[in-house]
Amino acid sequence: MTGTATGQELSARPVGRLTVWQGAALYIGAVLGTGVIALPALAARAAGPASLLAWLGLVLLSVPLAATFAALGARYPDGGGVSTYVRHAFGERTAAVVGWCFYFAVPAGAPAAGMFAGAYVATAVGGGRRTVVVTAAVLLILVMVANGLGLAVTGRMQLVLAVLLVALLLTAVATALPHAHARNLHPFAPHGRPAIGSAAALLVWSFAGWEAITHLAADFRRPARDLPRATALAVAVVGVLYLAIATTSVLVLGPAAGTSDAPLADLLALGIGGTVHALAAAAALLLTLGTMNAYFAGAAKLGAALGRDGALPAWLSQGSDVGEVPRRSLAVVSGLSGLALTVTTLAAVGPQPLVLLTTGSFVTVYALGTAAALRLLPRGTLPHRWALLALTAVAVLLVMTGWYLLWPLIVTASALCYLRWRRGTGSAMSCRGWSKSIDAGQRGQSD
């Protein structure tokens, strides 16, 4: 197979099924995590009403990051996502590192998110730790089954979840705003201006997820057109919702915004009535299910692409083509997620260790992905300028991540050892995978 596809091959290639709206819903689910329930309170506690500046700053910074990954996904539509971009820019070893960092971060992050939601359910219905674990397990099973049925089912499920979530958040804002008071903005910065930076450090994790859907770029009907549109729509929705919830929390709850465990539930209870804990549990389940669903879809496709390209065992390559369901890779992600949940349950350590394993990995993916964008996107264009701005912002995140980077360093060493072992056993990198990645990039450019 050559690196240039003929017109007949291009017309015969499988066409993805994801629509702009489904893609936007996947993005919204990936970015709007459970942090929207608790982080407005943490930010208000750190900086008071001035925390709204931190929210605004991070919304603005998410624009170049999302635009960068959308430009790369449209130009190189492939299941490898960021790993594919890094391969084109820096070679197979760095691509394997990025792929491993993302792929093995999801099985750690998914059960942690499930346990966060489970904690809200346990508060509402009782049952303590057992309810937490059962809730996390049920969420894992739901997203595994949904993704096993195919991306069409996953996309429809995510669209429903996104509509429900947006409706819930808008309801909280609309019904609580009549109780707003401008006096709650004073004093605006009770802890001084430096506290705004502290609030931003807390909030930065609420804006992770813009890289997750790039693994599904080739599964859009027209990647070069639909992926940027889905990204732009998601950026607008996420930005408006985050700012609306944060602003309403400060204006309505006042000083209590910094002490509430669930400000979103407090807004709903104040606006429409009801039991705060039940409302918080409902919001947590919607947010968590959407996030897990999006990340499972992206990770499953990535694992198949890594198997195709030789960065993981070739057995995983099933499902790497457009329109195929990567059930083997999905089974690995689901199995590892279940194992992580079991280990943390037996060790009685809670979700915190899993969170620490996840954060450093995603920052590493962002750093190498934006660096690859500077080499791949045409100089002087708007996407290249977005990439430069995004890389600068990610460099700050790397400094803030600190010793959490130890885990991606371990993953890096493991990925490189695996590649060396494959060479030692005479297993060459898949030529088929290489040519498909190149063809996908060329198709993206021609589109």
Side-chain angles (χ1 to χ4, degrees):
M1 183 174 181
T2 63
T4 302
T6 66
Q8 183 178 1
E9 287 171 333
L10 285 175
S11 62
R13 71 181 177 91
V15 178
R17 303 181 65 179
L18 275 181
T19 66
V20 171
W21 288 101
Q22 290 173 344
L26 284 164
Y27 264 124
I28 292 169
V31 179
L32 274 178
T34 53
V36 75
I37 298 175
L39 282 179
L42 296 177
R45 188 180 309 163
S51 62
L52 297 179
L53 296 179
W55 281 104
L56 177 61
L58 287 170
V59 167
L60 294 177
L61 282 177
S62 70
V63 173
L65 196 60
T68 296
F69 284 120
L72 288 170
R75 194 175 180 83
Y76 303 97
D78 181 71
V82 182
S83 178
T84 294
Y85 317 147
V86 172
R87 171 175 289 109
H88 284 291
F90 304 119
E92 65 173 82
R93 292 181 180 177
T94 312
V97 168
V98 168
W100 278 51
C101 281
F102 187 98
Y103 190 68
F104 291 108
V106 172
M115 283 189 279
F116 284 136
Y120 281 93
V121 175
T123 301
V125 304
R129 185 171 181 79
R130 177 178 296 180
T131 300
V132 172
V133 175
V134 169
T135 300
V138 170
L139 290 173
L140 288 174
I141 292 171
L142 284 175
V143 296
M144 178 186 68
V145 172
N147 280 275
L149 293 174
L151 198 54
V153 174
T154 302
R156 294 190 192 104
M157 173 181 169
Q158 193 72 11
L159 189 56
V160 172
L161 288 172
V163 170
L164 290 174
L165 177 58
V166 171
L168 177 69
L169 297 180
L170 290 179
T171 298
V173 171
T175 57
L177 268 180
H179 303 277
H181 298 284
R183 65 174 179 269
N184 287 328
L185 291 173
H186 305 286
F188 187 70
H191 308 298
R193 293 182 180 177
I196 299 174
S198 300
L202 291 169
L203 297 176
V204 71
W205 308 116
S206 294
F207 293 87
W210 297 115
E211 83 296 340
I213 312 305
T214 59
H215 305 288
L216 307 177
D219 287 280
F220 280 82
R221 291 178 180 174
R222 291 180 59 88
R225 181 197 67 180
D226 294 346
L227 182 60
R229 291 182 179 181
T231 303
L233 181 60
V235 168
V237 171
V238 168
V240 168
L241 289 177
Y242 270 150
L243 289 174
I245 290 294
T247 303
T248 305
S249 297
V250 169
L251 289 174
V252 172
L253 301 178
T259 59
S260 172
D261 292 329
L264 175 60
D266 289 341
L267 294 179
L268 285 167
L270 183 63
I272 63 176
T275 304
V276 172
H277 294 315
L279 293 170
L285 288 173
L286 280 176
L287 288 161
T288 305
L289 190 57
T291 301
M292 291 171 63
N293 190 48
Y295 271 96
F296 262 54
K301 203 68 175 182
L302 169 63
L306 293 175
R308 176 201 67 193
D309 296 337
L312 282 175
W315 176 81
L316 287 172
S317 63
Q318 179 272 331
S320 60
D321 289 335
V322 176
E324 294 183 351
V325 181
R327 292 191 174 90
R328 293 177 182 175
S329 178
L330 176 63
V332 172
V333 172
S334 303
L336 290 176
S337 298
L339 177 62
L341 177 61
T342 300
V343 170
T344 53
T345 300
L346 294 176
V349 294
Q352 184 174 357
L354 298 178
V355 173
L356 299 181
L357 294 179
T358 306
T359 51
S361 295
F362 283 136
V363 173
T364 303
V365 171
Y366 277 144
L368 291 173
T370 51
L374 285 180
R375 298 195 66 173
L376 297 175
L377 298 176
R379 292 182 179 275
T381 62
L382 182 59
H384 190 270
R385 296 190 186 99
W386 283 133
L388 180 59
L389 184 57
L391 180 59
T392 303
V394 171
V396 177
L397 294 186
L398 282 172
V399 174
M400 294 167 53
T401 302
W403 68 273
Y404 295 170
L405 293 175
L406 286 176
W407 174 245
L409 287 177
I410 294 173
V411 173
T412 295
S414 301
L416 295 177
C417 286
Y418 177 78
L419 292 180
R420 178 172 293 185
W421 174 80
R422 280 185 63 88
R423 291 193 186 93
T425 57
S427 299
M429 297 293 287
S430 170
C431 294
R432 175 174 174 267
W434 273 88
S435 60
K436 282 191 174 185
S437 294
I438 295 171
D439 286 348
Q442 291 175 342
R443 290 196 297 268
Q445 295 180 54
S446 63
D447 287 342

